Amino acid sequence: MVTGTPQGRHRLRTPLALFLVTLALLASLVLSTAFGAESLSPATVLDVLVGRVTGGPAADLAYDTIVWQLRVPRALLAALVGAGLALAGAGMQTLVRNPLADPYLLGVSSGASVGATAVITSGLFAGAGALALSGGALVGALGAAVLVFVVATAQGGLTPLRLVLTGTVLGSAFSAIASYLVFRSPDPAAAQSVLFWLLGSLAGADWHQLAMPAITVGAVAAALLAGSGWLDALATGSDTAASLGVPVRAVRITLFVLLAILVGVLVAVSGGIGFVGLVVPHAARLLVGARHRVLLPASALCGALFLLWVDVVTRILVRPTEIPLSVVSGLVGAPAFLVLLGRRRYRFGGNG
Amino acid sequence: MTVHLLAEGLACSVGQRVILRDVELDIAEGETVGIVGPNGCGKSTLLRILAGIRAPSAGRVLLDGVPLHRLGARRRARKVALVGQEQDLPSDLLAGELVALGLTPYRSPWSGGGSHERAAVAAALAEVDLADHVDRPVDRLSGGERRRVLLARGLVQETPLLLLDEPTNHLDVRHQLHLMHLVRRLDRTVVVALHDLALATTTCDRVLVLHEGRALSLAPPREALTPDVVNAVFGVDATPIRHPVTGDTHLLITPLRPEDMP
């Protein structure tokens, strides 16, 4: 089903591509819950899910707990975070007009790591547990975003190059602060917990954790889609966009704020997960092209699918321990995408 | 679909540096006006001010008497289109999708392309001689094809005033003439920045020479580009020569001699 123009347009027809990825995602959501420290057969999983959804006779209680209380919320969280990171990556690449941009470009993740590290090393909120960690990360992330915004605006506006430079420089500064906090911490285990948090994890996901990322990802996705035509114009350059009647300044500021909130919430929930936001948007462009109207949904679906399976691998590769998500997303993802991208002499969204 | 363009006392400066001062323009409906001048003389800045995407530090632009810089962005984009020098385009965009961006001022920011849009895009691409390139990714286009696709993006915007910044860059000589012929034929008011003096002379109704931020008078090409003006502005010697076939007067540029080199 490749459209057959003589120019060799190797895109799937867009609705078909979106349909297939959605189908794969739904199937994966069910299948992935079979994997973990305890392997279950797909039939058992289906029993539990059917029982839960239809309100029929409950399946074996142990299986019910594993599938419904542990793995389903975790699979949903993985899909949400993956979708959110891919959306954020696509948005960021448009905002700074740079194919190498990833969701953490604005210093948001380093800011979050300062917040999280402060919580871990100070031990101030030890009683509050994971909630304090997420809270610290969120505060740090949003604080960093505000700082990048203020500095970039004061120095002449949210132009792509200025954002990249300001975000990168302030990001390094935040990383340094986080390192310093670890260094002077008396607790020898602090370094390890900080490292583990930075590399991302979905362990301990439960149903209550889903609401905030679900609302954020949903709201930001809706807002980005509502402005997809303007984002297309912005991606071709600010003069062109302005001459097409797009309020460039307002769109950039809105995009910045949306991305900062989205990435801040995602980092707070799952730590820093590398690679997804950088490369999934490129894979989605290969699939459906560069128009945001289809690129954004395709990115979100591919990101969800990708992180879902990455999370499965983290659970089963070194049983019964779990490895951090970034380790797997990097190890599995990089070679796979190099092959995928190299095959078409793909030019990474920019003018190679 | 043309418009009368009047610019009064336009000035522009960045910090201490004055880019434009006291530029006056009165361009009739349907006229094709060329702007020439050496690099850095303010051509692009003037076009961006005329396009309404940069505010002048003094003066105003009137389209049929309506102040351009008071219009909302969307209404302005239905009056003026600027085709700039955009070099790096998103490579996965198809030529047809790029041209369809010209319809942005006419649709809501969330809507996609309908079938009437496809017709408009196809028509615009046909005008620039690229009808069969709708589905070609922009990164597979040659430099010249890219310029023409960008022009089609401006055409599809359906504005009475069309501003073109060096539209003939990267074009071979046949496509330069073809493009300027197409621009002249348009039922629109066109202002075009050009590097090629011969092209400006043969294809524009009137020519504006910009020199160090000041505009010399807007005049028919042969009055605007006299050998004296060319020498003063560009620092080269030019001799008017009658074309043996067409009988038109052309400027023949004398090559620089070694002793003229700095």
Side-chain angles (χ1 to χ4, degrees):
Chain A
M1 283 300 286
V2 172
T3 51
T5 53
Q7 286 78 31
R9 181 181 167 192
H10 291 289
R11 287 184 197 167
L12 284 173
R13 287 178 194 284
T14 302
L16 178 73
L18 289 183
F19 175 72
L20 288 179
V21 180
T22 310
L23 213 60
L25 179 61
L26 289 177
S28 301
L29 277 172
V30 174
L31 270 182
S32 69
T33 54
F35 298 94
E38 175 91 7
S39 286
L40 306 176
S41 72
T44 318
V45 173
L46 271 181
D47 270 354
V48 173
L49 292 181
V50 169
R52 277 286 181 170
V53 173
T54 60
D60 185 302
L61 194 62
Y63 291 149
D64 182 78
T65 306
I66 292 177
V67 171
W68 192 254
Q69 300 300 340
L70 299 176
R71 290 190 189 163
V72 171
R74 181 163 176 163
L76 289 175
L77 188 62
L80 272 175
V81 171
L85 284 176
L87 273 178
M92 196 69 75
Q93 285 164 9
T94 298
L95 176 63
V96 301
R97 294 193 69 212
N98 189 326
L100 292 177
D102 80 349
Y104 306 128
L105 183 75
L106 300 180
V108 172
S109 70
S110 338
S113 73
V114 171
T117 312
V119 169
I120 291 173
T121 56
S122 70
L124 274 184
F125 309 97
L131 197 62
L133 195 59
S134 291
L138 187 59
V139 170
L142 297 182
V146 169
L147 197 58
V148 171
F149 184 90
V150 168
V151 171
T153 308
Q155 294 186 339
L158 300 181
T159 57
L161 185 62
R162 192 168 300 284
L163 274 178
V164 172
L165 293 176
T166 313
T168 308
V169 169
L170 285 179
S172 308
F174 292 132
S175 300
I177 295 174
S179 304
Y180 176 72
L181 287 177
V182 174
F183 174 73
R184 53 158 290 174
S185 159
D187 179 7
Q192 205 190 347
S193 8
V194 168
L195 179 68
F196 197 80
W197 182 85
L198 279 179
L199 291 174
S201 170
L202 297 169
D206 65 37
W207 285 101
H208 305 292
Q209 277 183 343
L210 289 175
M212 187 150 91
I215 292 169
T216 313
V217 172
V220 172
L224 291 181
L225 273 180
S228 58
W230 284 356
L231 294 180
D232 287 339
L234 199 60
T236 61
S238 58
D239 271 7
T240 302
S243 119
L244 289 169
V246 176
V248 173
R249 214 174 102 79
V251 171
R252 278 193 181 141
I253 291 175
T254 311
L255 191 54
F256 183 100
V257 172
L258 289 175
L259 292 179
I261 292 173
L262 175 61
V263 179
V265 167
L266 294 177
V267 172
V269 168
S270 60
I273 302 170
F275 205 77
V276 183
L278 172 63
V279 181
V280 168
H282 290 297
R285 273 190 208 103
L286 281 179
L287 207 58
V288 298
R291 288 188 316 143
H292 286 80
R293 199 172 133 82
V294 285
L295 171 65
L296 293 171
S299 293
L301 289 169
C302 292
L305 188 62
F306 179 69
L307 198 60
L308 190 59
W309 285 107
V310 165
D311 184 49
V312 168
V313 174
T314 66
R315 288 188 307 222
I316 61 173
L317 202 61
V318 195
R319 269 189 266 221
T321 25
E322 289 191 11
I323 29 181
L325 280 164
S326 287
V327 173
V328 178
S329 65
L331 280 181
V332 175
F337 279 116
L338 279 182
V339 170
L340 179 71
L341 302 180
R343 223 180 40 179
R344 264 199 56 203
R345 277 177 285 152
Y346 177 75
R347 291 216 267 178
F348 272 97
N351 189 21
Chain B
M1 191 181 53
T2 63
V3 72
H4 171 234
L5 169 67
L6 187 67
E8 297 174 336
L10 287 184
C12 179
S13 46
V14 175
Q16 296 293 314
R17 206 166 75 85
V18 176
I19 300 174
L20 293 172
R21 65 183 93 198
D22 293 331
V23 176
E24 307 271 342
L25 289 172
D26 188 344
I27 299 176
E29 298 184 355
E31 220 180 347
T32 299
V33 166
I35 302 180
V36 301
N39 291 331
C41 68
K43 290 191 295 269
S44 295
T45 307
L46 179 56
L47 283 183
R48 294 181 75 232
I49 290 174
L50 294 179
I53 63 178
R54 171 168 194 153
S57 42
R60 57 182 191 159
V61 180
L62 300 173
L63 293 182
D64 280 342
V66 181
L68 175 68
H69 290 267
R70 296 239 188 92
L71 290 178
R74 213 175 157 77
R75 281 189 57 203
R76 188 199 67 219
R78 296 180 189 185
K79 297 269 182 210
V80 195
L82 170 68
V83 177
Q85 299 246 43
E86 307 291 356
Q87 286 301 316
D88 54 340
L89 300 164
S91 64
D92 325 85
L93 213 56
L94 304 181
E97 292 170 351
L98 180 67
V99 174
L101 283 178
L103 296 163
T104 306
Y106 299 94
R107 61 190 187 193
S108 48
W110 54 85
S111 75
S115 54
H116 85 280
E117 288 199 357
R118 266 199 294 279
V121 168
L125 276 171
E127 279 215 77
V128 296
D129 212 5
L130 289 174
D132 54 346
H133 285 53
V134 183
D135 285 335
R136 198 173 287 194
V138 287
D139 67 338
R140 306 258 183 94
L141 300 177
S142 69
E145 288 169 337
R146 215 178 253 239
R147 300 290 327 162
R148 286 186 282 150
V149 167
L150 285 171
L151 175 66
R153 199 274 295 153
L155 293 179
V156 96
Q157 209 174 325
E158 292 281 308
T159 53
L161 175 60
L162 183 61
L163 307 173
L164 307 171
D165 195 357
E166 314 267 359
T168 54
N169 263 6
H170 302 296
L171 290 189
D172 62 54
V173 64
R174 194 188 87 84
H175 276 112
Q176 287 189 12
L177 294 174
H178 175 89
L179 183 137
M180 289 309 292
H181 178 70
L182 161 71
V183 165
R184 282 194 60 86
R185 227 182 40 216
L186 294 171
D187 179 28
R188 306 185 194 196
T189 309
V190 181
V191 179
V192 47
L194 287 171
H195 260 311
D196 188 333
L197 300 183
L199 200 62
T201 311
T202 50
T203 56
C204 296
D205 296 318
R206 288 192 292 163
V207 169
L208 180 79
V209 182
L210 269 186
H211 183 39
E212 289 172 354
R214 287 180 191 281
L216 308 188
S217 67
L218 182 57
R222 277 163 202 86
E223 293 165 34
L225 288 169
T226 59
D228 288 346
V229 169
V230 172
N231 184 276
V233 173
F234 293 94
V236 296
D237 288 327
T239 316
I241 297 284
R242 256 177 78 88
H243 194 290
V245 178
T246 62
D248 291 338
T249 312
H250 285 252
L251 281 177
L252 201 60
I253 307 291
T254 314
L256 290 177
R257 291 156 305 185
E259 55 265 35
D260 296 331
M261 303 295 280

